[in-house]
């Protein structure tokens, strides 16, 4: 199938070329992010492959349809960047990769938590500069601490399992509690109780109108002093300005982010020779107790292999009229 792949990095090309050897789709790789300014590039491509920060709003969807695109194949799990109402109206099928490696994201979540708690990011720099002082690197034992988990689907459930292994108490909130987590000893509670009782709060629910700014100023006010907040889900779950206020007041004792509200223009790019224009991100980067990675939680060999395989299988299935419904985005609510 004639396919355009947007937001291409060299590693995407490597994994997709390998996966396409046995499939033979005609793939054109575009570095550009899909947006109103770049949508013309997709002219004549029946399938368009996109990633987390491509912009598939109503304008882009309308033009894609007019240019002959029939399938949007997300090479990720989340689909909050696609206007599903517009896609349905224009008869564009939207498919995604629901579970390429929940382990990759769960493990990165725990890596962030351990790094931030034990100040590994600071220790690494200190020691390399000949500073062997440990003053300021004090952490806490995880055993016995209360971990609040919001969203106990594939990734959240794995985080629960890993942190149970550390001897943590887990209190969780999900609109659909997970029986496997209950069996593991996870206690479900209201969102308010989870947020207000946690020593560590980690977010694993999707971005929807209900979860937008789930951590806002009121939530920060209700938190235990010194809480560690980890977000590897979607940036807009956290109101960054409220988080900054919480960090300044000491309510938030540590903040680890793999995702950021306004990441689209920044993450995945090398901007080391440029002046950072985002003042909120710039402020976040000044805190010694903030650790930010650039949306890399998914980025393992296993996950990349699986993403390329499943995305191309989605395209093949669509071309053959054999669509895998489990990988078709079913949710017709308006995406935000
Ligand atoms: P999943 O669908 O398996 O689990 C999501 C869970 O959230 C479900 O149990 C669902 O019931 C719950 N949920 C839905 N609405 C909720 C609400 N309002 N409040 C609380 N819980 C709610 O998804 P997953 O595979 O575990 O992925 C979770 C999220 O992780 C994705 O939506 C995506 O945004 C993010 N993600 C990030 C990366 C990364 O690289 N940082 C990679 C993959 C996924």
């Amino acid at each position: 199938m004639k396919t355009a792949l947007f937001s291409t990095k060299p590693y995407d090309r490597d994994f997709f070329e390998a996966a396409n050897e046995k499939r033979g789709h005609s793939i054109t790789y575009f570095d550009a992010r899909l947006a109103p300014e770049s949508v013309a590039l997709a002219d004549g491509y029946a399938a368009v492959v996109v990633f987390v920060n491509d912009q598939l709003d109503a304008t882009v969807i309308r033009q894609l349809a007019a240019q002959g695109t029939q399938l949007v194949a997300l090479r990720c799990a989340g689909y909050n960047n696609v206007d599903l109402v517009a896609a349905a109206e224009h008869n564009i099928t939207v498919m995604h990769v629901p579970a390429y490696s929940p382990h990759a994201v769960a493990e990165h979540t725990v890596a962030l938590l351990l790094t931030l708690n034990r100040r590994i990011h600071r220790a690494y720099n200190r020691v390399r500069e000949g500073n062997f002082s440990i003053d300021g690197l004090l952490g806490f034992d995880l055993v016995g601490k209360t971990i609040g988990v919001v969203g106990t689907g594939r990734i959240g459930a794995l985080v629960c399992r890993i942190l149970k292994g550390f001897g943590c108490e887990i209190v969780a909130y999900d609109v659909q509690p997970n029986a496997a987590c209950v069996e593991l000893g996870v206690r479900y509670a209201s969102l308010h109780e989870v947020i207000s009782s946690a020593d560590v709060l980690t977010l694993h629910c999707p971005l929807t109108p209900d979860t937008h700014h789930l951590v806002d100023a009121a939530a920060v006010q209700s938190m235990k002093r010194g809480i560690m907040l980890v977000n590897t889900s979607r940036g807009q779950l956290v109101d960054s300005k409220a988080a900054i206020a919480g960090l300044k007041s000491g309510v938030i004792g540590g903040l680890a982010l793999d995702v950021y509200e306004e990441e689209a223009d920044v993450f995945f790019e090398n901007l080391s020779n440029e002046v950072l224009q985002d003042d909120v991100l710039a402020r976040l980067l000044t805190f010694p107790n903030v650790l930010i990675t650039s949306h890399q939680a998914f980025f393992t060999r296993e996950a990349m292999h699986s993403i390329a395989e499943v995305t191309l299988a989605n395209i093949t299935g669509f071309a053959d009229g054999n669509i895998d419904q489990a990988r078709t985005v079913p949710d017709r609510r308006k995406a935000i």
Side-chain angles (χ1 to χ4, degrees):
M1 198 162 185
K2 201 174 168 209
T3 299
L5 196 137
F6 280 85
S7 300
T8 309
K9 297 292 179 202
Y11 43 82
D12 296 308
R13 190 187 291 251
D14 291 346
F15 281 95
F16 273 85
E17 283 297 288
N20 198 33
E21 264 174 28
K22 58 178 184 282
R23 294 196 171 87
H25 292 293
S26 160
I27 307 179
T28 305
Y29 298 92
F30 295 108
D31 295 349
R33 189 158 68 89
L34 182 58
E37 312 79 59
S38 61
V39 64
L41 292 170
D43 194 2
Y45 288 90
V48 165
V49 176
V50 295
F51 196 45
V52 291
N53 290 326
D54 288 299
Q55 184 187 330
L56 291 104
D57 56 21
T59 313
V60 169
I61 293 280
R62 194 179 321 116
Q63 193 167 335
L64 283 176
Q67 294 174 172
T69 295
Q70 300 155 33
L71 172 67
V72 165
L74 291 136
R75 55 181 196 275
C76 55
Y79 44 85
N80 51 280
N81 52 335
V82 183
D83 188 325
L84 298 173
V85 175
E89 275 169 15
H90 290 89
N91 246 337
I92 289 183
T93 301
V94 181
M95 300 188 77
H96 67 149
V97 186
Y100 44 84
S101 173
H103 294 277
V105 184
E107 289 171 13
H108 190 76
T109 302
V110 178
L112 286 176
L113 166 55
L114 290 171
T115 304
L116 186 58
N117 174 29
R118 304 309 298 270
R119 319 288 196 256
I120 307 291
H121 55 307
R122 303 189 67 205
Y124 174 80
N125 289 325
R126 274 192 196 187
V127 169
R128 284 175 75 92
E129 298 212 342
N131 176 357
F132 298 96
S133 156
I134 61 167
D135 191 28
L137 303 183
L138 190 69
F140 57 81
D141 287 3
L142 275 172
V143 66
K145 294 295 183 299
T146 300
I147 313 290
V149 179
V150 181
T152 51
R154 297 177 194 89
I155 296 168
L158 283 172
V159 169
C160 292
R161 205 163 86 193
I162 296 170
L163 291 175
K164 266 284 172 191
F166 278 79
C168 299
E169 297 296 319
I170 313 236
V171 55
Y173 172 73
D174 194 305
V175 288
Q176 280 183 304
N178 181 338
C181 289
V182 174
E183 203 171 311
L184 194 68
V186 172
R187 183 172 70 81
Y188 281 91
S190 68
L191 181 61
H192 176 76
E193 187 186 337
V194 169
I195 290 176
S196 59
S197 65
D199 298 303
V200 173
L201 181 66
T202 181
L203 308 177
H204 303 289
C205 58
L207 175 63
T208 67
D210 290 342
T211 60
H212 181 262
H213 283 184
L214 184 138
V215 174
D216 58 7
V220 171
Q221 269 195 344
S222 71
M223 288 171 172
K224 263 188 182 170
R225 194 170 177 78
I227 189 173
M228 194 164 280
L229 174 62
V230 185
N231 185 12
T232 60
S233 189
R234 282 291 180 267
Q236 288 171 44
L237 298 182
V238 175
D239 177 346
S240 307
K241 289 185 178 150
I244 288 172
L247 285 157
K248 286 170 77 176
S249 70
V251 171
I252 298 180
L255 176 65
L257 302 176
D258 185 55
V259 288
Y260 167 65
E261 288 195 80
E262 302 296 333
E263 70 179 46
D265 292 333
V266 181
F267 281 16
F268 306 121
E269 304 303 328
N270 177 2
L271 304 178
S272 55
N273 289 319
E274 294 180 28
V275 174
L276 190 54
Q277 297 298 323
D278 183 326
D279 291 350
V280 175
L281 180 58
R283 180 68 179 103
L284 282 170
L285 289 170
T286 66
F287 292 95
N289 52 349
V290 171
L291 176 60
I292 300 180
T293 53
S294 185
H295 209 138
Q296 69 172 79
F298 72 97
F299 198 45
T300 64
R301 266 192 298 278
E302 292 78 3
M304 288 298 290
H305 173 78
S306 175
I307 284 171
E309 287 288 335
V310 174
T311 303
L312 293 185
N314 285 346
I315 295 173
T316 302
F318 181 84
D320 295 347
N322 188 17
I323 299 176
D324 185 337
Q325 293 301 333
R327 298 193 207 127
T328 304
V329 177
D331 190 336
R332 294 289 180 220
R333 286 176 300 176
K334 184 153 174 51
I336 53 171

